[in-house]
């Protein structure tokens, strides 16, 4: 199967919704929604915690790729246990990549056009990453089996490390930028909600003020009504303080 066909099948099986920073997705910006084969929606909320996990996994690929190459070289030089460490790094590398691409109950997969482009577009991130992992596996097998092809495969692996690292850095940058845009969107939404609450509280305060005037004019019959109006006034004051605190936090 060619890479182009594989990419096309991947896109058909996993359609990607608009990016969280896309204005068209503003009404559903906190979730990545797909429909599985049973017709049920699979919703993966996009939160600060989720973005932290995505960035950590992307960083893990960078770290383990370097560790893998280092111990592969040490293994070729006869250091005991070096190839075993390299294989552990390879397993972590592959696992992180799979977690980032495959949508699950906890992670959103390739959730925006920027990621789709860098993984499956011109930069060829997915092809380069999977190709590196396959080459690493072949090189480690050759080193362990002491094959004549081991030095050549190791040289190819070392040569591929620098361009791979450049792509991994680019991908991590996309995750970091999406995280920042998501945080800005959430702050803007919070400000909007707080402004609405502030308006309601201001109107409630005016109602309470008018109610106390009416109660005062009603004499004895208005005493109980005056108590209720006082409680309402106290509540609106507390709401004012909460709104100020929330807006202060949103501006940070």
């Amino acid at each position: 199967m060619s890479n182009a066909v594989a990419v096309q099948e991947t896109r058909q099986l996993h359609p990607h919704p608009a990016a969280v920073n896309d204005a068209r997705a503003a009404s559903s910006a906190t979730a990545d929604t797909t429909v599985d084969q049973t017709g049920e929606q699979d919703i993966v909320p996009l939160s600060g915690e989720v973005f932290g996990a995505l960035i950590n996994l992307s960083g893990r690929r960078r770290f383990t790729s370097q560790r893998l190459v280092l111990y592969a070289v040490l293994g070729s030089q006869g250091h005991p246990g070096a190839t075993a460490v390299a294989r552990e790094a390879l397993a972590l590398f592959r696992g992180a990549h799979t977690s980032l691409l495959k949508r699950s109950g906890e992670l959103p997969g390739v959730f925006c056009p920027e990621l789709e482009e860098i993984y499956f577009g011109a930069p060829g991130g997915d092809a380069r990453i999977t190709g590196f992992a396959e080459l690493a596996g072949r090189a480690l097998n050759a080193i362990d089996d002491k094959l004549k092809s081991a030095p050549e495969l190791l040289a190819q692996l070392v040569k591929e490390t620098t361009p791979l690292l450049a792509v991994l850095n680019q991908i991590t940058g996309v995750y970091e930028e999406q995280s920042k845009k998501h945080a800005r969107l959430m702050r803007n939404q919070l400000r909007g909600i707080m402004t609405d609450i502030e308006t309601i509280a201001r109107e409630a305060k005016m109602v309470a003020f008018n109610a106390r005037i009416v109660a005062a004019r009603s004499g004895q019959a208005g005493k109980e009504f005056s108590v209720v109006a006082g409680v309402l006034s106290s509540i609106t004051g507390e709401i004012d303080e909460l709104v100020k605190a929330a807006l202060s936090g949103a501006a940070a």
Side-chain angles (χ1 to χ4, degrees), residues 1-251:
M1 180 184 295
S2 67
N3 287 337
V5 174
V7 168
Q8 183 62 30
E9 289 186 357
T10 299
R11 289 175 176 172
Q12 291 173 349
L13 289 172
H14 303 287
H16 307 305
V20 295
N21 55 300
D22 194 323
R24 294 169 300 174
S27 61
S28 58
T30 59
D32 177 24
T33 307
T34 59
V35 179
D36 62 21
Q37 294 178 352
T38 64
E40 296 180 353
Q41 287 188 334
D42 176 25
I43 301 176
V44 181
L46 293 177
S47 63
E49 182 178 3
V50 168
F51 277 109
L54 294 173
I55 293 170
N56 285 337
L57 283 169
S58 189
R60 182 183 299 174
R61 282 187 309 198
R62 291 188 296 180
F63 168 74
T64 52
S65 67
Q66 302 304 295
R67 183 177 177 84
L68 163 60
V69 173
L70 171 61
Y71 279 90
V73 171
L74 292 175
S76 70
Q77 296 173 353
H79 289 258
T83 55
V85 175
R87 289 185 186 280
E88 290 176 2
L90 177 57
L92 290 172
F93 178 83
R94 282 174 165 159
H97 184 58
T98 298
S99 296
L100 287 168
L101 261 65
K102 183 179 180 181
R103 183 178 285 111
S104 67
E106 297 178 352
L107 297 175
V110 182
F111 62 88
C112 68
E114 291 86 349
L115 286 173
E116 184 171 358
E117 171 61 22
I118 201 166
Y119 276 123
F120 306 116
D126 178 56
R128 185 174 290 277
I129 291 167
T130 54
F132 176 83
E134 291 171 1
L135 176 60
R138 290 165 53 206
L140 291 173
N141 288 339
I143 292 170
D144 283 339
D145 296 338
K146 296 181 173 54
L147 301 180
K148 291 182 180 180
S149 60
E152 181 181 352
L153 289 171
L154 181 60
Q156 292 178 13
L157 185 65
V158 172
K159 183 179 179 181
E160 183 63 21
T161 302
T162 298
L164 172 73
L165 188 59
V167 171
L168 293 178
N169 286 336
Q170 281 183 281
I171 294 173
T172 300
V174 172
Y175 284 117
E176 291 173 345
E177 183 59 28
Q178 288 297 312
S179 177
K180 292 176 183 177
K181 290 179 178 179
H182 178 267
R184 286 197 294 269
L185 178 59
M186 293 300 99
R187 284 198 297 270
N188 290 338
Q189 288 184 346
L190 177 59
R191 289 193 189 101
I193 293 171
M194 291 301 102
T195 299
D196 290 343
I197 294 175
E198 191 175 33
T199 300
I200 293 170
R202 186 164 53 248
E203 292 173 352
K205 186 181 294 184
M206 182 61 67
V207 170
F209 177 74
N210 291 334
R212 295 178 81 168
I213 293 176
V214 172
R217 291 174 177 174
S218 300
Q220 186 65 27
K223 285 187 176 180
E224 292 184 4
F225 190 57
S226 178
V227 172
V228 173
V231 171
L232 179 58
S233 179
S234 176
I235 291 174
T236 57
E238 293 177 7
I239 291 176
D240 282 343
E241 293 303 316
L242 291 174
V243 168
K244 289 177 182 178
L247 287 173
S248 177

